[in-house]
Amino acid sequence: MAMMRLRREDPRVVGSFRLHRRLGAGGMGVVYLGSDRRGQRVALKVIRPDLAEDQEFRSRFAREVSAARRIRGGCTARLVAADLEADRPWFATQYVPGPSLHDKVAEEGPLAAAETAAIGAALSEGLVAVHEAGVVHRDLKPSNILLSPKGPRIIDFGIAWATGASTLTHVGTAVGSPGFLAPEQVRGAAVTPATDVFSLGATLAYAAMGDSPFGHGSSEVMLYRVVHEEPQLHGVPDALAPLVRACLAKDPEERPSTLQLSMRLKEIAAREAQGGLDARPPAQRDRSEADRPTGRLGERYEHDERTQRYTETGRSTGAGQRAQAPRASAPRTGGSRPSAPRGTARSASRPNGTNGTNGRPGTRPGARTGTGRLRPANPRLLRQRLIVFFVVTLIVALGIAAAQQL
């Protein structure tokens, strides 16, 4: 937020606060940066002298400050102190560091869909707290939203009013900013929470497009467009356009509630943020992530991969145990023929080279591995089988020789 030096006519002390800089000036008065004796910084607004002499304004201002004290929520600037009986009434709110939404868009251009939705979701939650206190802001616009490090904050409840109050200060004069006023405010009808929803929709459209949805022009032209013409949302992302258009409905009954708006915007922000991650160039992605299938195919891929790792680990461990501990059973002798190596006769009885349990290819000892190489057999087992073979051959030969001598 831009700060300016104090002018000669500016006060140096207001109440218990010392003033340091000018933060801005508006239709109701001047806003200063101040601090108390403990060093707590505040944004302190002093009302214009001509309004201070208006008793009707003082009464209205007192009701508004009383309503602002009831607001509880992290998305608003907390009211710190106020003096309604001073020569020039004033009130101080918590100072919020950071640029306004208006300044950020003006300097950096329109915001992305995910960022716009995230800001809108936080503002909707803040409006829920405001409306639960029985207050309608009535002047929600980009310059009244500060983007602090802890999230957006709604400021300037200077013309906030109780729910159901009229929006006219004088006959034919609407309170608020053209282009962000709701149609009922222009007509002078009663304000409701739906009034702030309209203003929030116009604010989100500005954040996404960098311009007002009702264009530019004099106050009369802008107010006419708000009441009679449809908003121009050509630059709003497709993910946000339907919801923003619903907020800008002419009939307050057709607009979503602040709670519905908050939930929907959170969903959009999460989806758009995920979409931004998925849209990264391939060079920025991990190679294994880029080659990995997605969806049901990806789930099957991960299952097969885990199964293969488990099988290879278990078999390599079993092979090592067999190599360290010899078989306890003695080799067969006599007329029995030598048994075939494990993994040949058994695997031959299973069709299509499967392991007989789930129909998936097996990798038994002696079979081909994933690299195309033959798995080496157990040397001790081969020696035992060779010994059995020679012993049986020798016995048969001795038997034949004995039979010939007879």
Side-chain angles (χ1 to χ4, degrees):
M1 179 180 294
M3 299 185 188
M4 299 167 285
R5 292 185 178 182
L6 297 176
R7 300 179 181 177
R8 288 185 179 181
E9 64 271 18
D10 291 330
R12 266 48 183 179
V13 177
V14 174
S16 60
F17 300 95
R18 181 176 297 277
L19 305 185
H20 305 289
R21 292 286 189 274
R22 266 187 175 229
L23 294 177
M28 292 185 62
V30 182
V31 182
Y32 300 97
L33 173 65
S35 63
D36 60 11
R37 296 175 182 176
R38 296 175 298 176
Q40 179 186 12
R41 296 194 297 176
V42 298
L44 191 146
K45 175 178 282 189
V46 180
I47 305 305
R48 283 172 25 202
D50 56 327
L51 292 177
E53 297 175 359
D54 188 342
Q55 293 302 320
E56 180 182 353
F57 175 82
R58 279 180 173 268
S59 299
R60 180 169 67 105
F61 181 70
R63 291 194 298 269
E64 292 167 355
V65 170
S66 176
R69 283 193 173 120
R70 301 197 303 268
I71 298 174
R72 296 290 184 270
C75 202
T76 59
R78 178 175 54 86
L79 182 67
V80 177
D83 187 352
L84 308 178
E85 303 300 329
D87 293 339
R88 295 176 60 184
W90 58 270
F91 64 89
T93 60
Q94 180 184 13
Y95 173 70
V96 179
S100 69
L101 179 60
H102 176 274
D103 292 343
K104 180 176 178 64
V105 173
E107 294 175 3
E108 302 178 10
L111 306 183
E115 186 176 6
T116 301
I119 291 175
L123 294 175
S124 300
E125 288 186 355
L127 288 177
V128 170
V130 171
H131 297 158
E132 286 179 349
V135 179
V136 179
H137 190 284
R138 294 205 305 167
D139 196 24
L140 193 66
K141 57 185 179 180
S143 59
N144 282 342
I145 297 170
L146 297 182
L147 304 178
S148 76
K150 297 182 179 180
R153 296 291 184 267
I154 302 173
I155 63 169
D156 199 354
F157 285 79
I159 63 171
W161 197 248
T163 303
S166 172
T167 61
L168 295 180
T169 52
H170 303 287
V171 177
T173 304
V175 176
S177 303
F180 298 95
L181 288 174
E184 59 268 25
Q185 288 179 281
V186 180
R187 295 191 182 101
V191 296
T192 64
T195 302
D196 286 341
V197 171
F198 185 96
S199 300
L200 179 58
T203 299
L204 295 179
Y206 173 84
M209 298 190 304
D211 199 359
S212 168
F214 297 100
H216 301 275
S218 63
S219 297
E220 293 78 8
V221 171
M222 297 291 288
L223 296 178
Y224 178 87
R225 291 174 181 168
V226 166
V227 175
H228 299 287
E229 297 182 3
E230 293 299 320
Q232 300 299 319
L233 304 177
H234 300 302
V236 178
D238 294 339
L240 288 170
L243 190 59
V244 172
R245 191 174 297 278
C247 294
L248 297 176
K250 306 298 183 185
D251 186 356
E253 299 295 330
E254 297 179 0
R255 301 168 197 159
S257 67
T258 49
L259 185 58
Q260 293 172 337
L261 196 57
S262 174
M263 296 176 61
R264 187 73 184 95
L265 285 169
K266 285 181 180 179
E267 295 175 0
I268 295 174
R271 185 172 65 248
E272 291 299 311
Q274 182 63 36
L277 293 177
D278 293 341
R280 288 179 300 168
Q284 297 180 4
R285 297 169 125 191
D286 183 70
R287 180 171 298 179
S288 60
E289 176 187 354
D291 297 338
R292 186 180 299 275
T294 58
R296 292 186 177 179
L297 184 61
E299 295 176 0
R300 183 175 179 182
Y301 174 86
E302 292 178 359
H303 179 273
D304 293 345
E305 190 178 50
R306 288 195 300 269
T307 303
Q308 183 179 0
R309 287 199 300 267
Y310 173 78
T311 304
E312 292 179 355
T313 303
R315 287 175 178 164
S316 62
T317 304
Q321 293 176 349
R322 288 194 300 270
Q324 295 175 4
R327 283 178 175 267
S329 59
R332 295 184 181 179
T333 60
S336 61
R337 53 178 187 177
S339 60
R342 294 185 66 183
T344 56
R346 291 184 181 180
S347 60
S349 64
R350 292 172 187 156
N352 299 329
T354 60
N355 60 14
T357 57
N358 55 8
R360 289 178 184 162
T363 56
R364 307 197 56 86
R368 290 187 179 275
T369 63
T371 59
R373 298 179 180 178
L374 288 175
R375 185 186 298 276
N378 192 337
R380 183 180 294 275
L381 183 61
L382 289 177
R383 287 197 298 270
Q384 291 177 352
R385 289 174 179 173
L386 287 174
I387 293 172
V388 171
F389 175 76
F390 288 125
V391 170
V392 171
T393 303
L394 180 59
I395 293 174
V396 172
L398 292 175
I400 293 173
Q404 289 178 353
Q405 291 177 1
L406 294 176

